[in-house]
Amino acid sequence: MNQSITYSLFAIVAILLNACSTKPLALKMTAEPSSKYVYRSSNMTETNISVMCMELIVIVDQTTVQEIDIQKTIEDGSMDIKLTTLSMQMEQVNPMMSMTFDSENPEKNEPADMVEGMKALVGKEYMLTMSPQGKILELETEGGAFSGAFDNVPNGAAMEEQMEAQFGTSAIRQSMSQMTGFFPDEPVKVGDVWTKSNKIESGMAMLIETTYTLKERKNGIAYIDFSAKVTSDPDAKGIEMMGMQMQYDLAGTQSGTIQVDEKTKSKKRGEKI
């Protein structure tokens, strides 16, 4: 008698757990005011360029640590956030030169005069407003990220413009959009699919069309698979390299998995190939 009751209770619990996992999940950015998070991102890219029968390879390996400080939440679910870069390491290798910057180990920086201006990024604060779906609505900072940083460097104005395009306000907006802009507009169930579009304007301008799938819900974690098609922006004006203005045609794919804590809606882990 007792044994059958126990089995019945287990069956009821199993049914309830299954019902919870099949109920649509509202995936949105949520955070308490005055809460702070530390976000660490690492990215390595290798770009192969063919110019006048020459194969050029550009490798960039970058790690950035940032503090995300929730200033306040708004009635519509949006949040005002202060974003501060705590540290940065970057190594860039191309046929013309190699460049290394490490904010925590400045003795490794080289060429010293060229990467001196990179120090301006560390401690730089950005104020932004983010929607519940992770979209960047507004982003502000005082002055440019590199204003005056290369005044004492040969061709400093050109260097400042290049660094501003690669690491400045526009690049920060794009980076944050990629980091948080994957949340769906509506609640989703396991197997549901949604799509997001993103435009990268720093460096080589690209269009990224990403398809997300809620693959699994397990132990309070939502597992989201994604695959993306990357193409050149047809409206881009091209890039300057080795004194030449060049047009480019890029195509590629990205794929990976994102893990989201269902309770806090925070991104626990993300892997991209």
Side-chain angles (χ1 to χ4, degrees), residues 209-213 225-229 254-256:
E209 188 84 5
T210 307
T211 300
Y212 299 91
T213 304
D225 285 354
F226 68 89
S227 60
K229 293 181 179 179
Q254 295 178 340
S255 62

Side-chain angles (χ1 to χ4, degrees), residues 57 92 161 217 223 232 236 264:
I57 300 177
Q92 180 171 311
E161 182 179 355
R217 297 175 61 186
Y223 294 83
S232 302
T264 65

Side-chain angles (χ1 to χ4, degrees), residues 116-206:
E116 180 70 21
M118 296 288 291
K119 295 178 181 178
L121 288 174
V122 181
K124 185 72 175 178
E125 296 181 350
Y126 299 85
M127 300 301 300
L128 58 94
T129 301
M130 181 182 295
S131 76
Q133 286 73 38
K135 183 178 180 180
I136 308 303
L137 304 176
E138 297 180 15
L139 190 147
E140 299 178 351
T141 189
E142 292 187 8
F146 297 95
S147 297
F150 296 97
D151 286 351
N152 299 321
V153 177
N155 299 316
M159 178 68 72
E160 180 178 328
E161 182 179 355
Q162 179 182 345
M163 289 297 182
E164 188 69 39
Q166 191 171 353
F167 300 103
T169 303
S170 178
I172 289 291
R173 175 187 287 272
Q174 293 161 32
S175 175
M176 288 295 294
S177 295
Q178 284 190 296
M179 180 179 82
T180 63
F182 60 88
F183 290 97
D185 296 329
E186 303 292 339
V188 290
K189 304 186 300 294
V190 172
D192 282 354
V193 175
W194 65 99
T195 302
K196 297 283 184 176
S197 299
N198 196 21
K199 185 175 182 178
I200 305 298
E201 296 177 337
S202 57
M204 294 183 180
M206 296 178 290

Side-chain angles (χ1 to χ4, degrees), residues 227-267:
S227 60
K229 293 181 179 179
V230 182
T231 58
S232 302
D233 183 354
D235 298 325
K237 62 180 181 180
I239 60 172
E240 184 176 338
M241 181 176 289
M242 301 173 64
M244 298 180 291
Q245 189 71 20
M246 298 188 300
Q247 298 297 321
Y248 53 89
D249 185 12
L250 301 177
T253 60
Q254 295 178 340
S255 62
T257 301
I258 300 170
Q259 298 178 19
V260 178
D261 188 310
E262 292 188 9
K263 183 177 181 180
T264 65
K265 305 301 187 294
S266 62
K267 182 177 179 180

Side-chain angles (χ1 to χ4, degrees), residues 29 31 70 72-81 128-133 135 137:
M29 289 286 294
I70 310 300
K72 70 175 182 178
T73 56
I74 307 171
E75 289 185 2
D76 64 358
S78 300
M79 296 177 287
D80 285 344
I81 298 171
L128 58 94
T129 301
M130 181 182 295
S131 76
Q133 286 73 38
K135 183 178 180 180
L137 304 176

